[in-house]
Amino acid sequence: MANPEPDKTARLLIRNIGLLLSGDLQKPILDADAVLAVDGKIAAIGKEKDIDGAGASVVDARGTTLMPGLIDSHVHPVAGDWTPRQNQIGWIDSYLHGGVTSMISAGEVHTPGRPKDVVGLKAMAVFAQRSFSAFRPGGVRIYAGAPVIEHGMVEEDFKDLAAAGVTLLGEVGLGSVKDGATARQMVGWARKFGIQSTIHTGGPSIPGSSLIDKDIVLAADADVIGHINGGHTALPDDQIVTLCEKSSRALEIVHNGNEKAALLTLRTARELKQLDRVILGTDSPAGSGVQPLGILRVISMLSSLAEVPAEIAVCFATGNTAKIRKLDCGMVAAGRAATFVLMDRAQHSAGTNVLDSIQRGDLPGIGMVIVDGMVSTQRSRNTPPATAAPEIVKGR
Ligand SMILES: [Zn+2]
């Protein structure tokens, strides 16, 4: 399905939901078995008998679990659904089959011949923002146009970018600005004009990038401590703990990072009672490839190895990210985007139910993805098969 836009008169009732995960850390499980979407937004959540589904298309969840669509907080898109890093076509559509319905660019840094002069990098950012906002493979929403800051940029450049619709910076540190003072000044200019920032954390990712240590991260004070667990090379443990303690910014854990450092980050955030700062990304496509199931894998890894209840781990990739990134998706709440994943325990998982299976380290099976109130995919081609899968019982 290419570029579906919500039908302004569409009503979709999802009933017979076995378990409803809200994506909200404050109340991760809702006592409800039905959700009504109208015009692509959530109109009602509750018991089916209390919801007026007249005239709606109907999905029978068949007792499966509904959660908000997953958000990948760290991707590197380039052009359309193609990545030159691994020369692969269709990667975004593959992620949809891993439950990812929103993606945030940390810079279109794999663009062949990426311009590094100020006029060129600004032009590329505006182009990427426009191009990806108009291109939604399978309905996936891609927030892109994330310029990488370079020496020579002045305050006016950030004003121009914001006026042109740019809302993100690419990873600070991937360009020529690698010192804390300059980074802080430019991050401040970006923030002044409503542009959110992310910083590369840890050792170099690919030839051409370089080490960003805790002192630079703290000095730059970007909104998101990008891949705090390294991408791939992590900082020493004491530096990761210091970042958790001394900064109040978001702690982004990525699939393409150091798993031991990811667990340290999560445990430290939990000790600080700041789990609301934890968000998840894949940091892909990259040298490690394309990971359609990357976000599900991080949820499962953190839940099983750091002993986090699965319904809480889901919040890291949904409500937490939505709040920090100021998105209208990521939580099952009235007025939010009607964007959901329906999943079940994978066939033959040792887990007794979907949450138990994730806490044992298995991946769930996805049976359906709904974007803006429309069914985008049915049984995933990429996850292990779900034990039970929803079905469309009344379509228009
Ligand atoms: Zn990076």
Side-chain angles (χ1 to χ4, degrees), residues 102-161:
S102 304
M103 300 181 163
I104 295 157
S105 175
E108 297 79 38
V109 293
H110 300 157
T111 302
R114 170 166 69 93
K116 294 177 181 168
D117 63 296
V118 176
V119 170
L121 75 87
K122 285 166 67 180
M124 192 177 89
V126 175
F127 165 74
Q129 188 277 331
R130 292 291 188 282
S131 162
F132 280 107
S133 63
F135 174 66
R136 297 184 61 183
V140 176
R141 199 177 279 279
I142 304 143
Y143 298 89
V148 173
I149 56 174
E150 302 281 357
H151 279 292
M153 293 182 79
V154 296
E155 182 171 341
E156 197 71 13
D157 292 318
F158 294 86
K159 189 178 178 189
D160 291 348
L161 285 164

Side-chain angles (χ1 to χ4, degrees), residues 74 76 106 109 171-174 198-206 209-210 212 226-227 230-232 252 254 283:
H74 194 131
H76 290 296
V109 293
E171 288 177 70
V172 173
L174 294 187
T198 296
I199 189 162
H200 173 95
T201 308
S205 49
I206 49 176
S209 63
S210 52
I212 301 291
H227 54 62
H232 291 268
E252 184 190 73
V254 300
D283 191 6

Side-chain angles (χ1 to χ4, degrees), residues 143-273:
Y143 298 89
V148 173
I149 56 174
E150 302 281 357
H151 279 292
M153 293 182 79
V154 296
E155 182 171 341
E156 197 71 13
D157 292 318
F158 294 86
K159 189 178 178 189
D160 291 348
L161 285 164
V166 170
T167 60
L168 299 163
L169 285 191
E171 288 177 70
V172 173
L174 294 187
S176 57
V177 175
K178 299 175 194 298
D179 66 286
T182 309
R184 185 183 190 88
Q185 183 177 47
M186 291 189 183
V187 161
W189 287 333
R191 188 172 288 134
K192 178 176 174 183
F193 297 110
I195 298 175
Q196 196 176 58
S197 53
T198 296
I199 189 162
H200 173 95
T201 308
S205 49
I206 49 176
S209 63
S210 52
L211 169 70
I212 301 291
D213 68 10
K214 74 153 185 359
D215 295 327
I216 303 173
V217 174
L218 289 172
D221 194 32
D223 298 304
V224 175
I225 302 177
H227 54 62
I228 188 169
N229 62 318
H232 291 268
T233 312
L235 294 173
D237 287 1
D238 60 328
Q239 292 203 27
I240 291 174
V241 171
T242 299
L243 287 176
C244 294
E245 290 176 349
K246 295 277 193 283
S247 166
S248 60
R249 303 297 182 183
L251 307 171
E252 184 190 73
I253 292 172
V254 300
H255 183 270
N256 279 351
N258 176 317
E259 294 184 353
K260 194 156 183 256
L263 294 170
L264 173 66
T265 302
L266 185 60
R267 289 177 177 132
T268 306
R270 182 165 53 195
E271 280 167 23
L272 293 169
K273 299 194 176 5

